[in-house]
């Protein structure tokens, strides 16, 4: 990342001194060697030192030393699965989601840093395809499937992911024709606080965000200005800094297609969404608020990283490396992950 207005803005957002007199470097992504070439779309930042990765070929990695070394803690016999989401409670406890049709969609949990895993859910409905997973607290979590019988399906746990049940769908509005979620970054289902959760969609005539204020029992749907109308277009990731303020990013994941208006914001818990005045210049699949900031967030995608310092209204590119997902820990430890084993930590 070259020093300039973007770097100064990022330094300010992180509450660190900007580069002075040519000494040192501004905040930047620093690549960490993982020793693998799998694609990591699942990422959980525990701290600056601790993070979990989940990816293709049934791969789960964990670091406790800031990314200097990575331990392969993949579940036994999972090499044919595609892990797309990981939610970690700490350096020892985590839950991972494998995606796909029918029995390819599974959930595993570990309590010993990945030394052993328990398969706690295996989808037996060939019509279901689970995309994303989120936890509201260490006990309450949800996973979402593409529509079954015309409605998105919600899976719920009340014991930290040790057991799961499908919630009734009476409170879920009908899905649009062709509507689905994108298992691109583990961020198509996100929560804020003890009860609020949001679900992002695409593929249909309109890209929508569905909101539940009762842990997934009842939902309302809101249209967004993010373009859809094609199976490759829509909202790919959401981030909420509290139950009112959220950011949506997406676009068209095809490299040869433009992604105009690929970001939007809400200040009313997702009831209404406004297009970003200056969106990211291309498709973005992951987004995260910077800790303790009311206005700063990062969005990532295959062509770069963008920063907003005004709550998502305008974005500027700060890095051109390829990443699929991004996550920040409470101690300001921000991580990004993506294709060919790429993982980076934001360095000040």
């Amino acid at each position: 990342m070259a020093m300039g207005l973007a770097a100064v803005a990022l330094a300010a957002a992180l509450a660190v001194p900007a580069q002075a007199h040519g000494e040192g470097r501004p905040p930047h992504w620093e690549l960490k060697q993982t020793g693998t070439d799998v694609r990591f779309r699942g990422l959980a930042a525990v701290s600056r030192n601790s993070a979990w990765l989940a990816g293709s070929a049934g791969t789960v990695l964990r670091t406790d030393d800031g990314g200097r070394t990575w331990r392969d803690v993949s579940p036994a016999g999972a090499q044919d699965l595609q892990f797309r989401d990981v939610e970690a409670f700490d350096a020892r406890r985590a839950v991972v989601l494998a995606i796909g049709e029918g029995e390819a969609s599974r959930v595993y949990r570990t309590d010993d840093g990945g030394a052993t895993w328990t398969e706690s859910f295996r989808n037996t409905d060939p019509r279901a395809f689970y995309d994303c997973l989120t936890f509201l607290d260490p006990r309450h979590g949800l996973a979402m499937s593409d529509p079954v019988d015309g409605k998105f399906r919600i899976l719920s746990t009340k014991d930290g992911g040790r057991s799961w049940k499908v919630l009734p769908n009476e409170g879920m509005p009908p899905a649009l024709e062709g509507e689905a979620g994108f298992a691109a970054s583990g961020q198509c289902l996100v929560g804020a606080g003890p009860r609020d959760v949001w679900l992002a969609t695409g593929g249909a005539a309109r890209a929508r965000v569905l909101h539940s204020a009762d842990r997934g029992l009842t939902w309302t749907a809101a249209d967004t200005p993010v373009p859809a109308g094609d199976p490759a277009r829509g909202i790919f990731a959401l981030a909420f800094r509290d139950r009112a303020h959220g950011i949506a990013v997406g676009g068209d994941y095809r490299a040869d297609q433009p992604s105009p208006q690929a970001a939007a914001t809400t200040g009313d818990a997702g009831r209404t969404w406004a297009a970003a005045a200056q969106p990211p210049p291309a498709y973005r699949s992951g987004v995260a608020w910077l800790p303790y900031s009311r206005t700063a967030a990062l969005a990532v995608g295959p062509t770069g990283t963008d920063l907003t310092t005004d709550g998502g209204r305008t974005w500027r590119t700060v890095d051109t490396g390829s990443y699929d997902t991004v996550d920040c820990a409470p101690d300001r430890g921000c991580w990004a992950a993506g294709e060919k084993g790429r993982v980076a930590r934001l360095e000040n």
Side-chain angles (χ1 to χ4, degrees):
M1 182 191 310
M3 184 57 178
L5 291 176
V8 172
L10 183 53
L14 290 167
V16 298
Q19 184 183 22
H21 308 297
E23 298 178 357
R25 294 184 64 186
H28 61 281
W29 289 123
E30 183 174 291
L31 286 170
K32 307 293 182 179
Q33 297 301 315
T34 60
T36 180
D37 62 355
V38 305
R39 189 164 198 161
F40 292 114
R41 294 184 182 271
L43 167 66
V46 176
S47 68
R48 279 186 56 79
N49 288 326
S50 179
W52 296 74
L53 301 169
S56 56
T59 305
V60 180
L61 303 185
R62 179 174 64 85
T63 185
D64 289 320
D65 58 11
R68 287 190 296 274
T69 61
W70 294 87
R71 180 174 301 176
D72 187 338
V73 295
S74 306
Q79 60 271 14
D80 293 330
L81 300 178
Q82 300 293 316
F83 289 127
R84 294 292 179 91
D85 201 350
V86 56
E87 302 292 327
F89 308 115
D90 51 40
R92 304 287 293 174
R93 300 176 298 156
V95 178
V96 296
L97 171 72
I99 64 127
E101 296 178 350
E103 293 192 2
S105 286
R106 306 180 193 181
V107 178
Y108 294 81
R109 179 186 163 105
T110 183
D111 290 298
D112 55 13
T116 61
W117 294 86
T118 300
E119 182 185 310
S120 58
F121 172 76
R122 182 180 297 203
N123 173 50
T124 58
D125 189 334
R127 302 170 299 169
F129 185 116
Y130 286 85
D131 298 290
C132 289
L133 172 73
T134 193
F135 275 84
L136 304 175
D137 58 46
R139 291 189 301 127
H140 297 92
L142 300 171
M144 59 80 69
S145 163
D146 289 338
V148 177
D149 293 329
K151 294 183 177 182
F152 284 95
R153 175 171 287 183
I154 302 298
L155 193 66
S156 173
T157 180
K158 296 181 179 178
D159 56 12
R162 295 177 179 87
S163 65
W164 298 83
K165 70 173 183 178
V166 175
L167 294 181
N169 68 1
E170 288 83 0
M172 176 68 72
L176 304 177
E177 181 69 26
E179 193 172 28
F182 292 109
S185 61
Q187 296 176 326
C188 61
L189 183 73
V190 301
R195 305 185 69 83
D196 287 274
V197 63
W198 294 264
L199 187 163
T201 82
R206 306 184 303 278
R208 302 195 298 175
V209 174
L210 281 61
H211 171 230
S212 172
D214 55 11
R215 294 189 185 135
L217 291 176
T218 61
W219 297 78
T220 56
D223 292 344
T224 76
V226 175
D230 185 278
R233 289 200 298 263
I235 299 172
F236 284 72
L238 297 169
F240 277 77
R241 67 171 173 82
D242 54 39
R243 70 176 308 271
H245 298 88
I247 294 172
V249 300
D252 190 318
Y253 69 73
R254 296 170 294 191
D256 61 342
Q257 296 296 314
S259 292
Q261 295 180 299
T265 63
T266 182
D268 57 11
R271 286 188 293 274
T272 62
W273 291 84
Q278 182 180 325
Y283 157 69
R284 295 294 181 252
S285 55
V287 62
W289 290 91
L290 293 177
Y292 312 111
S293 173
R294 297 175 60 85
T295 58
L298 293 169
V300 301
T303 62
T305 299
D306 302 293
L307 168 72
T308 179
T309 56
D310 55 15
R313 288 184 291 276
T314 64
W315 297 83
R316 65 185 82 179
T317 301
V318 295
D319 186 271
T320 56
S322 175
Y323 300 102
D324 292 312
T325 187
V326 59
D327 192 27
C328 293
D331 69 350
R332 295 188 173 90
C334 291
W335 298 78
E339 63 181 347
K340 299 179 181 177
R342 283 174 59 90
V343 179
R345 189 178 68 177
L346 195 64
E347 301 293 341
N348 299 334

